[in-house]
Structure formats: C-alpha cells, structure tokens
Amino acid sequence: MENQRPVIISPSLLASDFTRLGQELDDLEKAGISWVHWDVMDGAFVPNITFGPPVISACRKRSSLFFDVHLMIENPDRYLDEFAKAGADLLCVHAEACLHLERTVSEIARLGIRPAVSLNPHTSLNVLEYVLPQLYMVLIMSVNPGFGGQSFIPFSMDKVSRLKKMIREKDADTLIQVDGGVTPDNTYELVQRGADILVSGSAFFAYPPYRERLEVFENAAAGR
C-alpha cells in the first residue's frame, strides 16, 4: 500500500449549512472528524466569495477541530497574519497567487502556522521543487477551484503519484491533500496513490448522519 498513515477526511464547510455553522462544527466533532476545510474565496482569484477571518475567528472560539484554511485569494501575503490570529492551524496558499512563494511559505511558518501550497489542475509540480521540504502539506486541486460539486479530473490521479515520488526523492515528510470531486468511489485509489488527506464537500455533507458517512470514507480508504 502506497500510504501507511491513516487517511484524514477533512469535510469542506463550503457544502455545510451556513445558517447553523457552529452546530455543524459541533456535529462533525461528535462524529469523529478531526479536520475541517475552510475554502476562503475572494471573488478575484476564483469566481466566488465565501468566508473571511471574522467567521473563522468566531468559530474558533467554539471548536477545537483542526482548521485547515485554504486561501483561494489574490496576494495572500496581505492576510496571513489575520488568518493566523483568527485561529487557522494550517494556511494553504496557491502557488499561482504568490509572486515570491518561498517568502510566503516562510512567513506562514514564522507565524507559527503549518504552511501548505495548493496547485490548480493545470499547474506543474515543478513549482514545488525547491520549497517542498518546507511544506507541511501540498494540496492537489482535482477540480478547477471556485465552486463545489464539480467532477473529479482524472489526470489528478497521476499527479498525486508523481508528487508522492517527488516527496520521497526529496526525503521530505510532506503530506498530500486532494480536493475536488472526492467521493467514496475514488477514495481507495487516491490513498493507494499516496493521498494522506481527502477534502470532501457535497459528497460528505449531503449524506448524514456524519458518523456513518465518515465510516463509509474510512472503509473505502481501507478497501473494504
């Protein structure tokens, strides 16, 4: 098996019920979830607008879950400190949005937050070559970012395999996350290819109760 670590399911709050966001976080934690994925969109880098630091900060006061914050925004350097103060445990920036990627990654680490980098489907893994050892995680986007409910882009599987090989060649311990069109049907192959963390939005939240849905994903990851 490619991946020996237990897979982490990080439900994307983009697909949650915004009218009861605090209760959703409580329900996820009770169901056994450890991570939640915050899709932060600015309407510029991607064609949608979602959460900002005030929402994350308010929810941080209520939840002890690991806040996996994905910044799909232009010039993320302007907001790193705000998201760190809001309670992010991890900040993931897009390589496409960073003029000086190493500087951005180093600043996230300086703030005491786990640094991560996301790549859009068309973006080559080559952009990670020199910063990979500094990263806690790399996020492979398996859809074009901006909206939930999209279908998984098939070539993303090969991209996960190639990234896993690159991590080994660099003797790094970087985690691989996949986001976009992740369902129980493709979970096993993603884990076999090397994915450590799977983000699922509509394929998770549309199938309550959450404890049972988590078990479906975990069983799929184990090939059961």
Side-chain angles (χ1 to χ4, degrees):
M1 187 173 177
E2 182 70 51
N3 185 357
Q4 300 300 316
R5 288 180 277 216
V7 68
I8 294 170
I9 305 300
S10 186
S12 172
L13 294 169
L14 185 63
S16 68
D17 182 350
F18 290 179
T19 66
R20 53 189 299 276
L21 191 52
Q23 187 60 52
E24 290 274 50
L25 290 168
D26 291 346
D27 292 346
L28 289 168
E29 191 163 4
K30 290 174 185 174
I33 290 292
S34 57
W35 285 41
V36 285
H37 189 82
W38 294 87
D39 286 303
V40 176
M41 306 182 191
D42 64 356
F45 182 70
V46 292
N48 200 358
I49 298 173
T50 57
F51 316 102
V55 174
I56 293 174
S57 179
C59 289
R60 177 79 287 170
K61 294 179 178 68
R62 177 165 179 155
S63 177
S64 60
L65 291 169
F66 185 95
F67 280 10
D68 160 23
V69 179
H70 178 193
L71 300 181
M72 288 178 271
I73 63 177
E74 291 185 350
N75 193 10
D77 301 74
R78 295 175 297 172
Y79 303 104
L80 298 179
D81 188 59
E82 285 186 52
F83 281 103
K85 289 176 179 176
D89 294 293
L90 175 151
L91 283 175
C92 183
V93 296
H94 270 262
E96 304 87 357
C98 297
L99 184 59
H100 303 288
L101 184 58
E102 196 283 332
R103 179 185 296 166
T104 303
V105 168
S106 293
E107 178 61 14
I108 294 171
R110 189 192 69 79
L111 290 168
I113 309 298
R114 292 172 175 85
V117 170
S118 181
L119 302 180
N120 281 337
H122 72 280
T123 303
S124 172
L125 295 172
N126 293 341
V127 301
L128 299 174
E129 182 177 359
Y130 295 107
V131 298
L132 191 58
Q134 297 173 245
L135 302 179
Y136 179 78
M137 186 188 83
V138 173
L139 168 51
I140 298 295
M141 289 299 301
S142 43
V143 298
N144 287 293
F147 296 97
Q150 300 181 66
S151 297
F152 185 90
I153 296 174
F155 66 65
S156 306
M157 288 290 185
D158 181 61
K159 200 170 184 181
V160 172
S161 297
R162 290 175 54 224
L163 175 57
K164 188 68 174 181
K165 181 181 178 184
M166 181 184 292
I167 290 169
R168 286 175 169 166
E169 289 173 347
K170 294 286 185 182
D171 196 26
D173 195 35
T174 309
L175 301 177
I176 299 174
Q177 184 178 76
V178 181
D179 181 7
V182 174
T183 71
D185 291 337
N186 54 27
T187 287
Y188 181 71
E189 184 173 358
L190 284 167
V191 172
Q192 289 292 307
R193 298 277 189 146
D196 302 287
I197 306 147
L198 300 179
V199 175
S200 183
S202 54
F204 185 91
F205 282 98
Y207 298 90
Y210 298 153
R211 182 180 296 277
E212 291 182 14
R213 194 55 174 171
L214 175 60
E215 289 175 358
V216 169
F217 271 95
E218 290 176 337
N219 286 334
R224 296 193 292 266

